[in-house]
Amino acid sequence: MDFQIALLLAQDGITNGAIYALLALALVLVFTVTRVIFIPQGEFVAYGALTLVSLQSGKVPGTLWLLLGLGMVITLVDLSRAVRARKLRRMPSVILFNCVMPLLLAGLLSVVSPATFSLPVQVFITLILVVPLGPMIYRLAFQPIAEASVLVLLIVSVAVHVTLTGLGLFFFGAEGSRTPVFTETSFAIGEASLPGQALLVIVSSLILIVALYFLFERTIYGKALRATAMNRTGARLMGISSSMAGMLSFALAGLIGTFSGILISPITTLYYDSGFLIGLKGFVGAIIGGLASYPVAAIGALLVGLLESYSSFWASAFKEVIVFTLIIPVLLWRSLTTRHVEEEP
Amino acid sequence: MNLSLDSVDPEEKPLVLEVRDLSVSYGKVEAVHHINLKINKGEIVTVIGPNGAGKTTLLCALMGLQPACGEIIYFGKTQGADRRVEKRVRQGMTLVPEKRELFGEMSVRDNLLLGAFDRYRVGHRDALETMDQVFDIFPRLQERCEQMASTLSGGERQMLAMGRALMAKPKLLMLDEPSLGLAPLIIKEIFHTVAELKKTGVSILLVEQNARAALQVADYGYVLETGEISLEGPSRDLVNDKRVIESYLGLSVRHGS
């Protein structure tokens, strides 16, 4: 292996690692706030990328129907509850978010062919189609069992993952697809060249990570999320409801996943089920951070990206094996160095 | 004669909280039985009693952390038994729990800011002014402003827990064992603050094992024993009550008087 190849592999590893880092942050966020190990995180990557592909080829993406369907179900559930409790004050916003907005989108997409929009508009539509699925899934699948044990939440999480993968096959078909590159420019670093798309991925991920940092450190809603993660009872006594924190964390996880999917759609061919593997690699990073530390999770995910990239050079057949085997020494090290905490009943 | 529910006797102070026939059970075990309790506006009411009498359970039920049977009437409005905590916070109830429940990995300032979270949500942007008022009450918190809550001493934690609760500008402040685990000098300081808080017009429900200190600041007291109220009255009378003296104040208090 000469220096040029090493550089190329490093560039590849960092690009992938940046995406894994984003997903790892989302997994840590969702777990600390809601105790849900969010297996469907990767589905948002696939949904984001494939929705963008659909839009670009002028088709109405299947995610729109999912958005409409989930929105209707939530509206019905909330409406029946509100009628029984005789409290209709909150219904207008529920209907607006879950019914009116998806219907408006459906109307827009049926009138105008999405292929005619410019790329930023297509990206924006993708985001508003896929990101709301996050809080909707929380509302339907996790909020009713928010007090259940981590194991029960994990099982439901797996069920959601399987459902979303199946729906992905139904919506997008079995073929893989990718979008055209966002930018053709490339930069020369010594002898190697850095494609603009890779740089775009790295820079956008960094920007998103910095934005998340500001959200958690500087805004009261970010602090409220951290507070819920630290002390649920304390947070509730401040009026920070667990369901609001859950919705918010799932919305952020949806945003991070969809955004990652859009970013990598020009550099990898994605299938309806590709998200799972990508999400799992983010999960390895999150595990390195003990599902608790954001910086360690991000660095761990970056390491996963690099490890994957170099092992694909030396032992490409064992690429995935090597990456996932990393979890064993990490777990061993974590179980030896951290004090075991019993889960509260 | 008008006997409508909202007619208030002008002689009497308006009622902040009225608890009628409240019972709380954990599974089959009833921890609190048929309690009746009243708090008037601007009053300090204390509930004293031994360990395991159900004092904390009572507060958790009032705050909505624990499901309960019976009626909780807050400012004339009956609260459903299943009412959520967040709702009560919005209505101006605040609980300073026994375990303080601080956000350990956050600075004192952030802990305080989150105390005003619900006010921020409904559109109030006066958290910084409120924080200055809290700093006037607890100057120590201002000194420790940037420190992590987990690095504070026991007394400072209690101050932070109370300061954080005050950030919500509560109408009813409920304190669960504020003296627990603190040094005598600090206990004195905390109770002095409780007495001072009364001047701001907030009503206070003080749950304490330290009966002497609690009765000194309170206007009215209840004695809770094995989940039932065994005695109640103005705290002046309770201090002189033989049963209270024997069980809770110790004989030394009355020595020589």
Side-chain angles (χ1 to χ4, degrees):
Chain A
M1 178 162 76
D2 60 22
F3 183 64
Q4 198 175 349
I5 294 177
L7 263 185
L8 197 72
L9 291 174
Q11 173 244 306
D12 204 38
I14 293 172
T15 314
N16 287 337
I19 297 297
Y20 300 154
L22 283 177
L23 298 178
L25 294 179
L27 286 165
V28 172
L29 169 69
V30 168
F31 180 73
T32 52
V33 173
T34 64
R35 299 177 305 129
V36 173
I37 295 172
F38 197 42
I39 313 284
Q41 181 66 60
E43 266 65 64
F44 282 87
V45 178
Y47 274 32
L50 295 173
T51 301
L52 184 61
V53 171
S54 299
L55 287 175
Q56 289 186 338
S57 56
K59 280 183 277 186
V60 175
T63 29
L64 175 67
W65 310 123
L66 184 59
L67 187 74
L68 274 170
L70 286 179
M72 296 293 175
V73 174
I74 292 174
T75 309
L76 284 180
V77 170
D78 280 3
L79 196 66
S80 72
R81 280 184 147 211
V83 167
R84 255 181 293 152
R86 297 215 177 82
K87 283 207 177 117
L88 294 166
R89 197 168 50 83
R90 279 182 142 195
M91 281 318 288
S93 63
V94 170
I95 293 173
L96 184 73
F97 180 76
N98 291 299
C99 280
V100 178
M101 221 188 63
L103 280 173
L104 280 179
L105 267 176
L108 175 77
L109 290 180
S110 63
V111 174
V112 194
S113 167
T116 57
F117 294 131
S118 65
L119 180 67
V121 177
Q122 287 169 338
V123 167
F124 180 71
I125 294 179
T126 305
L127 287 172
I128 49 175
L129 274 175
V130 184
V131 177
L133 297 178
M136 284 176 170
I137 288 169
Y138 175 78
R139 174 68 190 84
L140 284 179
F142 295 105
Q143 195 183 317
I145 53 162
E147 301 302 317
S149 70
V150 170
L151 185 63
V152 171
L153 292 171
L154 174 64
I155 293 167
V156 174
S157 186
V158 171
V160 172
H161 155 69
V162 173
T163 313
L164 286 181
T165 313
L167 286 171
L169 176 62
F170 177 65
F171 292 149
F172 306 112
E175 319 82 50
S177 34
R178 62 162 79 188
T179 61
V181 286
F182 297 154
T183 166
E184 296 281 0
T185 47
S186 78
F187 305 88
I189 302 174
E191 287 170 56
S193 77
L194 178 64
Q197 185 63 39
L199 193 69
L200 188 71
V201 171
I202 297 167
V203 171
S204 314
S205 309
L206 273 178
I207 290 174
L208 190 55
I209 288 172
V210 171
L212 284 173
Y213 174 81
F214 272 96
L215 175 78
F216 289 131
E217 293 292 327
R218 295 278 184 275
T219 69
I220 188 120
Y221 279 91
K223 285 173 188 173
L225 278 181
R226 281 171 59 218
T228 306
M230 275 176 219
N231 187 331
R232 202 174 301 271
T233 313
R236 289 186 70 196
L237 289 173
M238 303 299 107
I240 305 166
S241 83
S242 304
S243 56
M244 186 208 74
M247 291 274 198
L248 204 53
S249 62
F250 269 68
L252 281 169
L255 174 70
I256 291 170
T258 314
F259 190 74
S260 309
I262 292 170
L263 279 180
I264 59 167
S265 59
I267 48 178
T268 5
T269 303
L270 286 168
Y271 298 82
Y272 71 97
D273 61 351
S274 305
F276 182 55
L277 214 55
I278 299 172
L280 268 190
K281 284 169 192 162
F283 183 68
V284 175
I287 286 288
I288 294 175
L291 277 175
S293 162
Y294 291 99
V296 180
I299 292 166
L302 201 60
L303 284 179
V304 169
L306 287 168
L307 184 69
E308 179 190 40
S309 160
Y310 283 101
S311 53
S312 69
F313 179 76
W314 278 306
S316 63
F318 292 103
K319 180 177 93 166
E320 316 288 11
V321 178
I322 294 171
V323 168
F324 290 119
T325 310
L326 183 66
I327 218 168
I328 296 173
V330 167
L331 285 178
L332 208 62
W333 160 66
R334 287 212 71 94
S335 64
L336 289 176
T337 52
T338 46
R339 206 161 38 90
H340 180 69
V341 187
E342 286 288 338
E343 193 193 334
E344 282 175 42
Chain B
M1 197 153 65
N2 182 9
L3 279 175
S4 87
L5 281 173
D6 12 45
S7 71
V8 181
D9 187 347
E11 292 290 302
E12 220 167 90
K13 288 181 193 169
L15 212 54
V16 172
L17 185 78
E18 186 177 1
V19 174
R20 282 189 203 154
D21 202 26
L22 188 86
S23 299
V24 187
S25 352
Y26 295 103
K28 282 182 181 167
V29 187
E30 211 176 61
V32 166
H33 328 274
H34 311 291
I35 282 188
N36 295 295
L37 191 143
K38 273 182 190 177
I39 302 170
N40 291 323
K41 192 168 177 347
E43 259 187 7
I44 301 181
V45 171
T46 185
V47 175
I48 56 175
N51 231 342
K55 304 192 296 295
T56 297
T57 307
L58 170 67
L59 284 189
C60 286
L62 293 180
M63 199 61 206
L65 285 167
Q66 183 74 37
C69 307
E71 259 188 303
I72 299 171
I73 304 158
Y74 179 68
F75 282 103
K77 270 193 189 165
T78 303
Q79 308 282 299
D82 58 329
R83 273 292 179 84
R84 290 174 300 122
V85 181
E86 297 80 28
K87 206 91 187 181
R88 306 207 176 169
V89 173
R90 173 87 30 107
Q91 290 170 334
M93 278 195 198
T94 315
L95 171 66
V96 179
E98 191 180 347
K99 291 179 188 160
R100 327 303 195 221
E101 311 284 9
L102 298 174
F103 308 121
E105 302 305 307
M106 276 193 211
S107 67
V108 168
R109 181 193 296 278
D110 283 352
N111 268 276
L112 289 174
L113 273 179
L114 283 168
F117 177 79
D118 197 64
R119 284 180 63 77
Y120 184 89
R121 258 195 111 181
V122 294
H124 295 286
R125 294 291 182 271
D126 54 358
L128 292 178
E129 289 116 69
T130 322
M131 201 185 291
D132 283 336
Q133 291 163 14
V134 169
F135 286 152
D136 285 342
I137 303 169
F138 300 109
R140 194 91 63 89
L141 292 182
Q142 189 159 24
E143 293 164 28
R144 301 271 185 268
C145 205
E146 301 304 329
Q147 234 170 287
M148 292 286 149
S150 58
T151 65
L152 298 181
S153 72
E156 287 163 351
R157 279 173 201 224
Q158 181 57 39
M159 290 176 195
L160 179 55
M162 285 171 70
R164 191 179 63 170
L166 290 173
M167 288 294 293
K169 297 200 167 175
K171 296 187 181 102
L172 174 61
L173 179 65
M174 299 190 268
L175 301 169
D176 194 358
E177 304 261 7
S179 76
L180 194 77
L182 300 184
L185 216 63
I186 309 215
I187 295 181
K188 216 175 148 187
E189 200 179 324
I190 296 278
F191 277 95
H192 178 71
T193 312
V194 172
E196 288 288 305
L197 282 179
K198 189 185 164 182
K199 293 177 190 160
T200 66
V202 61
S203 315
I204 298 173
L205 177 59
L206 173 65
V207 159
E208 257 298 338
Q209 265 194 74
N210 189 334
R212 188 178 319 170
L215 287 174
Q216 246 165 33
V217 294
D219 301 291
Y220 199 86
Y222 294 87
V223 179
L224 192 66
E225 277 170 333
T226 56
E228 280 171 72
I229 287 176
S230 57
L231 206 63
E232 66 173 281
S235 29
R236 211 170 310 125
D237 300 348
L238 283 183
V239 180
N240 296 315
D241 189 280
K242 219 176 95 197
R243 284 166 294 176
V244 176
I245 293 168
E246 274 171 14
S247 317
Y248 300 109
L249 300 179
L251 287 169
S252 58
V253 200
R254 309 303 304 162
H255 185 79
S257 66

